Amino acid sequence: MRSRQRMFAAVMRLILKCLRLGRRRRFKLVRQVEQLWHYGHLCLRSLLYNSFTNSDVVLDSLFEPVYWLVDHVTRWFGVVFVALVIGLTSSIVAIVYICLLPLILQTYTPAWICWHLAYGHWNLIMIVFHYYMAITTSPGHPPQAKDNLTGVSICRKCIAPKPARTHHCSICNRCVLKMDHHCPWLNNCVGHYNHRYFFSFCLFMTMGCIYCSISGWEMFRDAYAAIERMKLLEKERLQVTANQTYYQTPPPTFSFRQRAFHKSVVYLWVLCSSVALALGALTLWHAALITRGETSIERHINKKERQRLQKKGKVFRNPYSYGSWNNWKVFLGVDMPRHWLTRVLLPSPHLPHGTGLTWDLPPCVTKQHTPLLAI
């Protein structure tokens, strides 16, 4: 009996010893896995750590393939986008002259006819002029020689002088003075010498689309109702034709000219309304940038600089902003009151202030702006 108890006790001690050994091995394996994980994490951070890395850098890195695709596709499809703008605009103008203008001359009063003729043609001239100037005017490029430029940096991509507010366009593969962005609808960069043409085109195109949408609202409703009536009568005509007797006559059919007229009016209103919403939002965005005296690229740069200085208890001041009203005068090239008529409300090919290489105080700004940093 005692021998059995001793044997049972020995077996139990052996089992407990094996359990302790297995537990130790399991804990040792877990510790090894944790050590390998921390070591790998440390190696990864040592290879990839950058004190300047933030969420914007990560997003830019993730979207780098998209940027590459846009750069290469936009370079080849810019002509297609320009042809699309010209084609759509020409179609709207043709519909207005062929379909709407005769109706306006027959139904409107002489005062309204004069208003529509004057405003419509003025708006059209402003759109055509500014779009032509925006696509044909060079945005401006810095000289390749550094002899006449002092205190400028060197572009890392084209190894050329890079004055203030100048940025490299990966699509044009050149540095652009006061670059705002590369516009595929212009097949050209928006920079120092054509920034005003680009914004004016957006503004007058938006105004023209709003004008067409408001003026053609009643015509659009009538045309849409007529198209729905056409569909209903066409369905009834097919039913009558299928079950026709000697005592039934098919409903009257609409002529090709009537169908084309109603569908053209609907096309005009839908296209103008869509462009007015999309281009209007873009115009407001650029108007806000002009009011602050910065470009699209400078907005991101100034935002990061503002956040960096805010952590140090300092306030960032844009050195190229002269106040909201003065910023608009500098952008539009208004030096005297009559320029609001001759340079803003009428087509004008005048050059912007300065050369884009240096940024001295414009003559239209009488008061010195706030310095760059204020502690």
Side-chain angles (χ1 to χ4, degrees):
M1 188 69 179
R2 292 181 178 177
S3 61
R4 290 182 179 178
Q5 291 179 352
R6 290 175 182 175
M7 186 180 297
F8 179 76
V11 172
M12 292 299 296
R13 284 196 298 269
L14 180 61
I15 293 174
L16 291 174
K17 187 175 181 180
C18 292
L19 290 176
R20 292 193 190 98
L21 182 61
R23 187 180 299 174
R24 290 175 183 174
R25 288 181 179 177
R26 186 167 63 251
F27 288 158
K28 185 177 181 181
L29 181 62
V30 172
R31 284 197 300 269
Q32 289 178 351
V33 172
E34 290 180 353
Q35 290 177 358
L36 288 175
W37 167 258
H38 291 302
Y39 178 74
H41 184 66
L42 180 61
C43 290
L44 187 64
R45 291 203 64 184
S46 64
L47 293 174
L48 303 178
Y49 177 74
N50 189 341
S51 59
F52 295 99
T53 302
N54 52 23
S55 58
D56 295 335
V57 176
V58 174
L59 288 176
D60 290 341
S61 301
L62 293 176
F63 278 94
E64 190 64 30
V66 179
Y67 297 151
W68 181 89
L69 182 64
V70 170
D71 291 346
H72 288 74
V73 170
T74 306
R75 185 179 303 174
W76 297 107
F77 282 87
V79 178
V80 178
F81 291 147
V82 172
L84 187 62
V85 172
I86 295 175
L88 292 177
T89 306
S90 301
S91 66
I92 295 300
V93 174
I95 291 173
V96 170
Y97 274 104
I98 296 174
C99 299
L100 301 187
L101 187 59
L103 188 62
I104 291 175
L105 295 176
Q106 294 175 5
T107 57
Y108 284 26
T109 61
W112 276 110
I113 292 175
C114 293
W115 155 253
H116 284 291
L117 290 177
Y119 179 82
H121 286 89
W122 169 79
N123 203 340
L124 179 61
I125 292 173
M126 298 298 284
I127 291 173
V128 173
F129 171 79
H130 287 102
Y131 188 69
Y132 174 79
M133 295 299 293
I135 62 178
T136 57
T137 303
S138 173
H141 306 284
Q144 298 297 316
K146 197 178 178 181
D147 299 337
N148 299 328
L149 298 177
T150 58
V152 298
S153 59
I154 301 297
C155 179
R156 295 178 297 176
K157 296 182 179 180
C158 58
I159 315 300
K162 186 179 178 181
R165 311 187 81 179
T166 299
H167 300 279
H168 187 88
C169 177
S170 57
I171 299 176
C172 299
N173 199 23
R174 295 189 65 181
C175 281
V176 178
L177 298 175
K178 192 194 169 188
M179 179 180 176
D180 187 89
H181 70 287
H182 185 94
C183 181
W185 301 101
L186 302 179
N187 194 26
N188 195 8
C189 270
V190 177
H192 178 62
Y193 288 103
N194 64 347
H195 193 182
R196 178 178 65 88
Y197 297 132
F198 164 76
F199 177 79
S200 298
F201 163 72
C202 293
L203 176 63
F204 289 113
M205 178 63 81
T206 303
M207 292 171 56
C209 290
I210 293 175
Y211 163 73
C212 290
S213 298
I214 295 176
S215 301
W217 169 244
E218 294 295 334
M219 297 180 185
F220 165 75
R221 292 178 57 185
D222 296 340
Y224 185 80
I227 292 176
E228 293 297 322
R229 190 163 56 252
M230 288 180 195
K231 295 179 181 179
L232 182 61
L233 292 177
E234 183 68 20
K235 185 183 297 185
E236 292 180 359
R237 189 179 69 83
L238 293 176
Q239 293 176 354
V240 170
T241 303
N243 303 319
Q244 188 173 11
T245 63
Y246 292 103
Y247 301 101
Q248 291 177 326
T249 56
T253 58
F254 287 87
S255 64
F256 173 79
R257 184 174 182 179
Q258 291 174 325
R259 294 174 182 270
F261 175 82
H262 295 310
K263 292 181 179 180
S264 297
V265 172
V266 173
Y267 163 79
L268 178 143
W269 192 88
V270 172
L271 180 60
C272 288
S273 300
S274 303
V275 173
L277 291 175
L279 193 60
L282 179 65
T283 304
L284 292 176
W285 165 253
H286 280 279
L289 294 177
I290 295 170
T291 304
R292 295 196 295 262
E294 58 188 11
T295 62
S296 300
I297 297 177
E298 291 174 350
R299 176 191 174 274
H300 299 285
I301 298 175
N302 293 345
K303 181 180 179 181
K304 293 181 179 179
E305 190 68 14
R306 189 177 295 109
Q307 293 175 352
R308 185 183 68 85
L309 293 176
Q310 187 176 7
K311 295 179 181 179
K312 297 182 178 181
K314 299 180 181 180
V315 179
F316 173 77
R317 302 295 183 189
N318 185 5
Y320 309 111
S321 177
Y322 311 104
S324 300
W325 183 247
N326 287 330
N327 288 337
W328 278 101
K329 291 172 63 177
V330 172
F331 177 79
L332 298 174
V334 177
D335 297 329
M336 52 189 67
R338 64 182 178 87
H339 286 168
W340 290 104
L341 174 63
T342 58
R343 293 187 175 185
V344 179
L345 297 181
L346 294 177
S348 175
H350 65 278
L351 296 176
H353 289 295
T355 60
L357 302 176
T358 58
W359 298 96
D360 300 327
L361 190 68
C364 60
V365 179
T366 56
K367 185 177 180 180
Q368 182 65 33
H369 59 284
T370 311
L372 175 62
L373 298 179
I375 302 177

